Amino acid sequence: MMSSHENASAHPSEQPTESKLNSQPLLTLSHLSKSYYVKKSIFGKTHQIKAVREIDLEVFKGETLGLIGESGSGKTTLSHLILGLTQHDSGTIKFNGIDPKYLRRDVQIVFQYTFGALDPLKSVYELISEPLKLHHIQFEGTLEDEVSRLLSLVGLSSGLMYRKTIEISGGQKQRIGIARAIASRPKFLILDEPVSALDISVQGQIVNLLIKLKKDLGLTYLFITHDLKIARHLSDRLAVMYQGSLIEIASTESILSNPQMAYTKKLLGNLFSEDTNDM
Ligand code: ADP
Ligand code: MG
């Protein structure tokens, strides 16, 4: 597997991205592995699924790293390992030198907010207050003021504050999910298919919101998607997962113009031929 540095030297004409020039890795994964053991039937043998295999990965401060790969390649498992939601079998995870499971404020995740992902009986105010209370976040003014500030950051009116999520649209729910993730003032966001459940028109709005928030709040993104058009629109670098392994990582431009692995070529071909809507 190529590291970003080996890759940079393999393509001397390629300009290093700003993030690589200016910073140390914020997140470093070394030899990270995780298997699941499942029984196919009650009498069957236990079957090992190597969901994440010996992954080495660095994410640099200020970059967006797009993580692509087909369904089942291990992207979500990798994100859960980083967050400490799932325990890894071997390897290490360092965020600024520390295991991020001790830094829950700093590393947050935005999921796909499909129906039911946010408690439909809670108000928007309650949903956004939860992470503020959980992480004991200090802010100026009242809790209501802070919820209102977060709503405006994600482009929602404070008039929504006492509505229940059952009463609002998919795009609004996704914005509330994002408001919850940024409430603790994190440095790093993992976005796991954050727009996959939304209509195309709404996808573009959420993608633009994420680009703006990254800039305004100085965030670093690990952006997981199977949608290559979104990945290439957002990402400084792309990492490709295949059956639990990270098989290729390079600048977005060089992955698209000069993929090294046969699997990447095939994946790019499939993803581009799926539909022709441009972001
Ligand atoms: P992706 O997000 O790329 O679709 P996942 O990380 O969800 O991939 O899954 C990777 C592999 O691990 C798949 O084979 C999946 O079936 C398996 N897997 C994921 N979560 C579990 C689990 N909790 N128990 C057993 N197998 C799992
Ligand atoms: Mg997934």
Side-chain angles (χ1 to χ4, degrees):
M1 193 195 310
M2 287 182 292
S3 80
S4 51
H5 301 290
E6 279 159 3
N7 188 63
S9 57
H11 298 276
S13 61
E14 185 194 317
Q15 293 297 313
T17 61
E18 200 182 320
S19 54
K20 274 188 266 180
L21 280 178
N22 292 345
S23 54
Q24 294 290 319
L26 192 57
L27 178 72
T28 304
L29 310 181
S30 308
H31 309 305
L32 198 65
S33 295
K34 171 69 184 179
S35 288
Y36 295 110
Y37 296 88
V38 292
K39 269 185 189 258
K40 291 228 165 127
S41 71
I42 49 169
F43 305 115
K45 274 199 299 184
T46 303
H47 176 71
Q48 182 184 21
I49 298 170
K50 293 183 176 177
V52 168
R53 306 183 190 215
E54 294 280 320
I55 286 198
D56 291 313
L57 180 66
E58 290 177 321
V59 186
F60 294 88
K61 189 170 186 295
E63 79 169 331
T64 296
L65 178 68
L67 183 62
I68 59 175
E70 65 197 328
S71 178
S73 57
K75 306 181 300 295
T76 294
T77 301
L78 185 69
S79 74
H80 287 184
L81 297 179
I82 295 168
L83 290 159
L85 298 175
T86 302
Q87 185 55 44
H88 52 280
D89 299 330
S90 56
T92 58
I93 309 169
K94 295 282 186 216
F95 185 85
N96 272 332
I98 297 166
D99 187 328
K101 72 180 171 213
Y102 303 114
L103 302 167
R104 295 306 305 275
R105 258 190 82 156
D106 289 343
V107 183
Q108 291 289 321
I109 185 161
V110 175
F111 304 102
Q112 178 178 306
Y113 289 92
T114 46
F115 183 77
L118 293 170
D119 187 336
L121 297 178
K122 285 185 177 160
S123 66
V124 170
Y125 172 77
E126 286 174 277
L127 288 166
I128 299 179
S129 306
E130 278 170 359
L132 293 168
K133 291 177 183 166
L134 177 71
H135 298 286
H136 307 288
I137 305 304
Q138 308 275 308
F139 46 80
E140 279 178 28
T142 63
L143 189 54
E144 215 169 50
D145 295 336
E146 183 63 5
V147 171
S148 173
R149 189 185 72 85
L150 288 162
L151 283 172
S152 88
L153 273 175
V154 298
L156 292 176
S157 134
S158 50
L160 279 181
M161 206 175 306
Y162 294 106
R163 302 274 285 279
K164 306 257 189 282
T165 56
I166 203 164
E167 304 166 326
I168 64 176
S169 74
Q172 287 173 328
K173 269 188 231 169
Q174 194 64 47
R175 287 175 195 265
I176 290 161
I178 296 168
R180 277 163 63 91
I182 61 173
S184 67
R185 304 181 186 192
K187 300 186 173 76
F188 189 96
L189 280 191
I190 298 175
L191 301 128
D192 192 355
E193 307 275 6
V195 301
S196 303
L198 303 171
D199 293 343
I200 292 280
S201 61
V202 182
Q203 287 190 359
Q205 293 165 16
I206 299 292
V207 165
N208 289 336
L209 171 66
L210 291 169
I211 292 172
K212 180 171 160 32
L213 286 175
K214 178 172 177 258
K215 189 161 158 273
D216 292 351
L217 305 178
L219 294 165
T220 300
Y221 285 171
L222 178 63
F223 196 99
I224 300 173
T225 182
H226 64 267
D227 187 327
L228 190 72
K229 287 190 303 300
I230 292 177
R232 80 167 165 184
H233 183 68
L234 278 158
S235 309
D236 300 301
R237 291 192 301 151
L238 287 176
V240 182
M241 274 186 83
Y242 175 65
Q243 295 189 350
S245 299
L246 192 78
I247 59 162
E248 187 162 1
I249 180 165
S251 73
T252 301
E253 205 186 287
S254 91
I255 290 262
L256 294 177
S257 62
N258 188 22
Q260 299 297 300
M261 304 295 287
Y263 175 76
T264 307
K265 285 175 203 167
K266 189 168 151 258
L267 184 69
L268 299 183
N270 289 345
L271 291 172
F272 277 126
S273 61
E274 255 168 31
D275 62 3
T276 51
N277 285 308
D278 262 326
M279 279 284 306

